[in-house]
Structures are given as C-alpha cells and as structure tokens.
Amino acid sequence: MTPLRNLPSVEQLLQTETTAHLIARFGRPLTLDALRQTLEDIRARFKSGTLAGLPSIDSILASAESTLTAWTAQTLHPVINATGVILHTNLGRAPLSDATIRAMDAVSRGYSNLEFDLESGKRGSRLIHAEALLQKLTGAESALVVNNCASAVLLTLSALANKKRVVIARSQLVEIGGGFRIPDVMRQSGAKLVEVGATNKVRLSDYQSALEEPAALVMRVHRSNFKIIGFTEEPDFKELVDAAHTAGVPVVDDLGSGALYDTAQYGFSHEPTVQESMQAGADVILFSGDKLLGAPQAGIIIGKKALLDKIKKHPLARAVRADKSCLAGVSATLMHYLKDEAEREIPILKMMSLTLKQVKGRAEAWRDELRQGMVVEGQSTVGGGSLPGESIPTYLLELKVKSADKFLRALRKNNPPIIARTENDNILLDPRTVLPEQEGALLVGLKNLLRG
Ligand SMILES: *Cc1c(COP(=O)(O)O)cnc(C)c1O
C-alpha cells in the first residue's frame, strides 16, 4: 500500500492548473484553507483505516472544490412558492413590485438624500420620506416607519405607557408567531397590563370600570392568527374609542396586517382596514409593511401628531429605525395605492385578485406541458398572520407520485427549490402563488423529477 508520505503537499497542489482555476473562483486564502482541510481529512481517514489507498491528485482537488462550493453557497436564496399560501411567513412574506425593487436598488447602489435636505443643503430627516405619503393615503397627522410591527408595538408602548396602566381585552393577549407574545412585549416596554373581560367575552362596561383609575392607553390587538367563535362578544371599536376618549385616554390599535383594501372584494372575509381604524378615531395605529400592504419588512406607525412626536423622540426609535432601502421600498409600494394601481402592480394583490378562470388556465397549461396530473379544485390562503382560517377557491395541479414525502424532498432540492404541499399522498401545486416569471423554472424542475 502507498505510504502516507506520498500524499501530495499543498505546495504541489498549488502547481496544478485546476488549483489556479479554484483560486480565480474562490480567492487564494479560502482555496488554501480548503486544500489543507482536504489533505488533513485524508490523513485522518487513512490513519483510522477507513481509506483503502491514497486518492489521486484529481480526486483530492475535486474534494477541495466541493468543500469550496459548500463554504460559499448562499444560505438565503429564492424559492418557488407553489403552496397557495400568499403571505407565507417562512417563505419571506410579500414579494415586491418592480417599482419597489427598483427604488430599493437605486438607493442601495449609491448615495442618497436619506438625511440631507437638498433645498437648504443642510442635515435633513429620514422620517420625512414615507411620512407625506402615509399622511395623504390615510389622513393621519403624523407617521413613522420602523423595522417591523413588533418593534412598532414595543416602541409605542415604551414611549407612551412606561410604568403606566394599559387596558386591553384578555382575548387579545395573543401570540403572533415565533414566540412573539403581546403580553411579553407589553411588559418589556414597562407598561402595566390591565386585562379586562373573559377569554371569550369583553363588554364596554369592562373597559369603563378599568378606566375609572388613570390609564395611559387603551390597546386593541388584532387577533391575526386565530378566531374566537361561538358565545363571544366584543364592543364595537368606535364605541370603545369613544369610551376611552370620554375618560381622556388615547387608543392604540395594533392592526397587524394593515390592509388598505377591503379583502372581502377578493372573496375573503373582511379584515379591519387602516382607514376604518382611523375613522373610528384610533389615536395611534400600528401595522406591518410586509403583510397585506405588500411592501418590504417594516412597521408603520400613524396617528395623532402629539403622540407620534413622543414616539419619534424616544431613544428606542433610533434602535428600531428603518434603513434607506426599507424607506425607499415602503414609499414605492405606497405610491401604487396613491396612484390607484395597487391591484395591477403589487404581487400579493395580483395573486388575490386572480380569477378562478385564470388560475384554472394556468393549472391546465402546466398539466398539458407536463403531460401528467389532474387539475382539481382546492383552496388558497392568505397566511402570514392575516385572515385566520380564511381561504378562497383555487385550482390545483395534482400529481400522483410513488412517495409524496420523497417527492417533496426532491422538489426542495431543486434549483431553485420548489415548495409544494400534499394531500392524501398526492402532490398539490397552486398556480396562484407561483410568480409568472418562475413558471419556466418550475416546469423544468418538475419535468426532470417526473422523468427521473
Ligand atoms: C404580525 C403581527 C405583528 C408583528 O408584525 P411583524 O411585522 O412581523 O413584526 C404584531 N401585531 C399583530 C397583531 C400582528 O398580526
């Protein structure tokens, strides 16, 4: 057997043309690192007897190349969402409009007037960029964009209710997902929780008795991811706002998804809109950028100027502030609403407003192209902590496969990965959430797998 000392050295490997190519692709330090690690592994395996003979130089370099490829692979990359869940939190929530991506790209590539007033040539404020748009769209006196809605809740309560009482219905002390619990965030802000009502029922009189003692805020939190059905009661929001105002207490409304459009027009049930909350008289309204608004990740705070001024001045505002690409993206998406082109431009609204005929047409085209499967009726959902348990009819391509689990795994290994769902051991693909420009890649991936 060839002795270990015949193993080539790093120096020898460096003389090869293959290594020169690796250096060009991955850089010298990383390539050296990979060569050393590959040789070390071989030595270890050789000594432990799990390697019969010394590998050739070509095979050593091939191992080094796979190591380099693994080290430099992006962990975050695009996938094809064929699940029919429109705002899939695990798949990055809302895809963005072309104009939004262009705006984010433009400010990221170079410098911008993020905090520079072009008129005076002096320091400006990053807060103005989305504010005017939000004022115009919602009629709010003032607005602020932060990192996400969770930070909007934390900041708002810290600024307005530290060490003070906040009155909230017990049925709204919800966990949003990923361990984000409203009561924990409220405590974190220093607010003193005053829970009113029972799990299923809260009456106006419950709020009124809690408001007999001084309170900083009344808070409403939208139950984004579950429904209470049966023997339930909650006062009308307008009545609640009036009762709070009678007691001289402002109302904060955490809407979560922040729809500007009525989702009922797409066949879902009605989700409270930002405009309705404004009309009912909420003093501060909080919502996410990347839920039903269809913008990048952001938390949007709108409301009365006096309260927003306090929020903007709080030290946490700096800690949770939005960056330039977020501000550019949120503004570009809001502009679609202002110009009444949201349904045409914002991907999630396009998906929701697809007609059954259009979805069926796409599923049939996939079936014809693959020469396999059946087009069947099914349901698409919104997901992402909006419209709990709500779905709208769709058409699915159903594929019969030997093992659904194995096929799903193979789909996930495709480049780009394809995420689908199964029912009764069949694979289901929903055209509603597959972006038109991804259809080609989806069909190539499926053809390869179905053939293999
Ligand atoms: C989703 C949600 C949040 C958290 O929003 P993020 O933008 O994900 O931080 C907060 N409150 C409610 C009611 C929500 O639905």
Side-chain angles (χ1 to χ4, degrees), residues 89 93 147-153 174 176 180 182 220-225 254-257 286-291 297-299 384-386:
T89 295
R93 289 200 186 149
N147 183 54
N148 58 8
C149 191
S151 47
V153 175
V174 299
I176 305 296
F180 174 75
I182 289 290
R220 176 176 82 157
V221 177
H222 180 49
R223 275 188 292 276
S224 297
N225 51 9
D254 175 11
L255 278 178
S257 43
L286 317 174
F287 53 99
S288 281
D290 54 353
K291 292 185 182 171
Q297 178 187 306
S386 308

Side-chain angles (χ1 to χ4, degrees), residues 401-416:
V401 293
K402 271 193 228 107
S403 156
D405 280 347
K406 275 199 190 131
F407 198 82
L408 277 186
R409 199 176 320 133
L411 284 173
R412 291 197 302 270
K413 284 211 172 123
N414 187 65
N415 178 22

Side-chain angles (χ1 to χ4, degrees), residues 233-374:
E233 187 178 331
E234 218 169 77
D236 173 60
F237 187 53
K238 172 95 177 67
E239 278 173 25
L240 171 58
V241 172
D242 291 346
H245 287 175
T246 304
V249 177
V251 177
V252 171
D253 191 14
D254 175 11
L255 278 178
S257 43
L260 290 177
Y261 276 16
D262 185 359
T263 45
Q265 64 182 308
Y266 307 120
F268 294 100
S269 69
H270 177 74
E271 174 92 345
T273 64
V274 176
Q275 295 91 331
E276 283 163 3
S277 181
M278 282 292 296
Q279 271 152 27
D283 300 274
V284 178
I285 303 169
L286 317 174
F287 53 99
S288 281
D290 54 353
K291 292 185 182 171
L292 285 173
L293 197 65
Q297 178 187 306
I300 297 175
I301 308 176
I302 61 170
K304 303 270 156 67
K305 182 170 185 311
L307 298 171
L308 266 282
D309 282 349
K310 277 194 194 164
I311 295 172
K312 289 175 183 175
K313 274 196 220 110
H314 191 274
L316 262 184
R318 170 63 187 253
V320 298
R321 73 180 184 182
D323 81 314
K324 59 190 174 189
S325 84
C326 167
L327 290 168
V330 167
S331 302
T333 303
L334 290 172
M335 195 64 83
H336 293 313
Y337 288 95
L338 197 64
K339 288 160 69 181
D340 196 26
E341 59 183 25
E343 237 177 48
R344 205 173 67 223
E345 299 293 336
I346 299 178
I348 60 154
L349 295 180
K350 281 198 257 185
M351 290 172 184
M352 284 195 259
S353 56
L354 276 180
T355 64
L356 266 180
K357 197 166 157 238
Q358 288 169 316
V359 188
K360 191 177 186 190
R362 285 176 72 189
E364 285 170 349
W366 293 1
R367 177 200 59 199
D368 296 347
E369 173 94 23
L370 297 170
R371 292 203 219 98
Q372 254 191 74
M374 253 171 43

Side-chain angles (χ1 to χ4, degrees), residues 113-117 120 122-128:
N113 62 336
L114 179 64
E115 291 185 353
F116 186 77
D117 181 5
S120 66
K122 299 212 174 83
R123 191 193 161 138
S125 164
R126 74 172 61 215
L127 302 183
I128 63 159

